[in-house]
Amino acid sequence: MMKVLSPRSTLLLVLLSAGLLTACGRTVPTEERGGIRASTIWVDRAPDGDVGQYNSLAADSQGVPHISYYDYTAGDLKYARLNDRGEWDVEVVDEAGDVGQFTSIAIDSQDRPHIAYWDVTNDQLKYAWFDGIEWRISIIFPNHGGIFASLALDANDVAHISFIRRGTADLHYLRWEVLRDGAQPGSIVLDTGTATGPSGIGGNIHGGTSIKILPDSQQPIIAYYQASFGSLIVLAHMPGDPNSITGRYPDGWRPFVVDGGTYIGEGLNDVGEHVSLFVNAERDWHVSYYDKTFEDLKYARWDDVNSRWLTESVDTEGLVGESTSVAVICQTRPDTQGQDCRPYISYFDSTYNDLKVATRREGSSWMTFRADLSGMTGTHTSIAQVSRGRVGIAYRDFTYSGLKFLIFKPF
């Protein structure tokens, strides 16, 4: 099958006025059936460099997009923000050694960015935040930690971070009152990753963590891949819940096996890598992830009425589902003024090397679309709602070794 590439037209202009983001000018419509019309713009593209890996996207209270990412060539942590002229302000945040892999960004109540990331040179978890004048940087876990880090801020701007300790493959959780300059934060081990099932496969927690804050209780919830079992696990901090008292996990943490078995063996799928978690309400949870056994994109949501996870395959066409990121976008229905909330998933199609997007209405089948077909593009995706209810996706373009940003109207 011959791949059809999208045409290139004029330069995209992104106008930011009164906090509203719109797109015009250069658009990149796909030419094959099932494509969507979207607009793309380069965020960072070094002529002789390679940038854009491990990117993380978040929007502030005005819907302005902020992106953290890794500069592979320089070994630096970088940050970009869309300014009111429709241009990306790009800066180096940390250049002390080889730093910036596994970035995760969150925006605080003053619309200032916070970034958790891995220091490769010193094998440490680091934390950078902008105080309004300059970037401040701290080492918050010095002991072989920081890979697969995920950051969320609660309503008091307290940082909650999930990450993997390299070597032992333990899942750690860390809480830090960063803006209060408190003591050096301590972490707790949530899962040792050392269990060995009847398959004989040893323990590793690998392939990603994703943390969010429950909006009512302000407690953390973490989705992660348990490689020892080949399963997707969600851990919710629910102090006082009788189901959160368990011998395997620390008290106060309630475990949910979302998908997969108790070990990798015949007849059991290996699922849960490339995990992304989105919390839409206190008990409204959504997860996108990769099914390694069948090479498919999968999705799960929590059914609170029946106290169970509902899992399903989203895209099974070829090798698809790596680099997933999920967000739920809600719009007011003009007929009833009710809320129409739909999950949107960005991910990489490894068969055709395209960026794809999947969505669906409640009770309907999944629709999948090719969003960018220009060469090999669509790895390291991160999705979020930006101004005017638009959907934004940050992702790496492998062909041109750069970071791109795509925006489209929800449908």
Side-chain angles (χ1 to χ4, degrees), residues 285-352:
W285 312 331
H286 305 255
V287 186
S288 63
Y289 57 103
Y290 178 57
D291 184 326
K292 189 174 183 179
T293 301
F294 293 101
E295 300 175 338
D296 296 338
L297 171 66
K298 297 195 74 175
Y299 163 82
R301 68 176 178 87
W302 175 247
D303 177 7
D304 198 43
V305 175
N306 298 294
S307 298
R308 61 176 181 171
W309 284 94
L310 302 176
T311 65
E312 56 192 304
S313 295
V314 176
D315 192 346
T316 61
E317 181 185 354
L319 199 167
V320 292
E322 297 173 303
S323 295
T324 80
S325 183
V326 65
V328 174
I329 310 298
C330 296
Q331 294 182 306
T332 301
R333 293 193 299 267
D335 52 347
T336 64
Q337 297 301 309
Q339 287 286 300
D340 178 13
C341 295
R342 305 183 190 181
Y344 284 80
I345 305 174
S346 59
Y347 59 104
F348 182 55
D349 182 332
S350 298
T351 301
Y352 296 104

Side-chain angles (χ1 to χ4, degrees), residues 67-391:
I67 307 173
S68 61
Y69 59 102
Y70 177 57
D71 183 329
Y72 174 82
T73 302
D76 296 339
L77 170 68
K78 300 185 78 173
Y79 161 79
R81 177 188 180 277
L82 193 68
N83 63 34
D84 57 5
R85 299 183 304 278
E87 301 170 346
W88 289 94
D89 292 328
V90 175
E91 58 185 303
V92 175
V93 176
D94 192 349
E95 55 185 345
D98 187 357
V99 292
Q101 293 186 21
F102 303 105
T103 81
S104 184
I105 192 170
I107 309 300
D108 67 22
S109 59
Q110 299 182 67
D111 285 340
R112 295 171 180 173
H114 296 234
I115 306 171
Y117 58 101
W118 186 39
D119 180 333
V120 184
T121 300
N122 298 296
D123 198 7
Q124 298 171 334
L125 177 65
K126 297 182 76 174
Y127 192 102
W129 75 102
F130 188 69
D131 64 6
I133 299 175
E134 62 182 359
W135 286 95
R136 301 175 62 182
I137 298 173
S138 295
I139 298 168
I140 56 175
F141 191 82
N143 302 315
H144 311 293
I147 62 174
F148 301 110
S150 182
L151 165 68
L153 299 176
D154 64 25
N156 295 314
D157 293 330
V158 174
H160 301 255
I161 306 171
S162 59
F163 63 97
I164 304 299
R165 180 175 179 177
R166 195 186 60 79
T168 61
D170 296 341
L171 172 68
H172 281 246
Y173 162 74
L174 182 149
R175 181 182 182 276
W176 188 28
E177 297 192 29
V178 54
L179 299 184
R180 293 163 180 77
D181 295 325
Q184 185 71 20
S187 70
I188 61 172
V189 177
L190 297 181
D191 195 330
T192 61
T194 57
T196 301
S199 65
I201 296 177
N204 272 313
I205 298 172
H206 185 69
T209 74
S210 185
I211 191 170
K212 293 292 183 289
I213 303 298
L214 300 174
D216 297 337
S217 64
Q218 289 295 293
Q219 296 295 334
I221 181 171
I222 303 168
Y224 68 100
Y225 171 59
Q226 216 322 344
S228 301
F229 305 146
S231 57
L232 173 62
I233 308 293
V234 165
L235 281 174
H237 194 225
M238 298 179 171
D241 188 315
N243 294 306
S244 65
I245 301 175
T246 174
R248 177 174 173 80
Y249 300 96
D251 287 350
W253 291 87
R254 180 178 175 182
F256 301 84
V257 178
V258 180
D259 198 355
T262 56
Y263 68 97
I264 302 174
E266 185 177 358
L268 293 176
N269 294 352
D270 185 2
V271 297
E273 291 185 88
H274 301 272
V275 60
S276 176
L277 170 68
F278 189 89
V279 171
N280 196 43
E282 185 74 10
R283 306 287 286 191
D284 186 6
W285 312 331
H286 305 255
V287 186
S288 63
Y289 57 103
Y290 178 57
D291 184 326
K292 189 174 183 179
T293 301
F294 293 101
E295 300 175 338
D296 296 338
L297 171 66
K298 297 195 74 175
Y299 163 82
R301 68 176 178 87
W302 175 247
D303 177 7
D304 198 43
V305 175
N306 298 294
S307 298
R308 61 176 181 171
W309 284 94
L310 302 176
T311 65
E312 56 192 304
S313 295
V314 176
D315 192 346
T316 61
E317 181 185 354
L319 199 167
V320 292
E322 297 173 303
S323 295
T324 80
S325 183
V326 65
V328 174
I329 310 298
C330 296
Q331 294 182 306
T332 301
R333 293 193 299 267
D335 52 347
T336 64
Q337 297 301 309
Q339 287 286 300
D340 178 13
C341 295
R342 305 183 190 181
Y344 284 80
I345 305 174
S346 59
Y347 59 104
F348 182 55
D349 182 332
S350 298
T351 301
Y352 296 104
N353 298 319
D354 296 333
L355 171 68
K356 295 187 76 174
V357 176
T359 189
R360 71 157 189 195
R361 294 181 183 178
E362 180 69 27
S364 301
S365 300
W366 284 93
M367 300 179 292
T368 62
F369 305 88
R370 299 188 185 277
D372 191 341
L373 298 87
S374 55
M376 182 180 290
T377 191
T379 59
H380 298 269
T381 79
S382 185
I383 193 169
Q385 182 172 350
V386 293
S387 288
R388 295 187 65 184
R390 299 298 198 268
V391 182

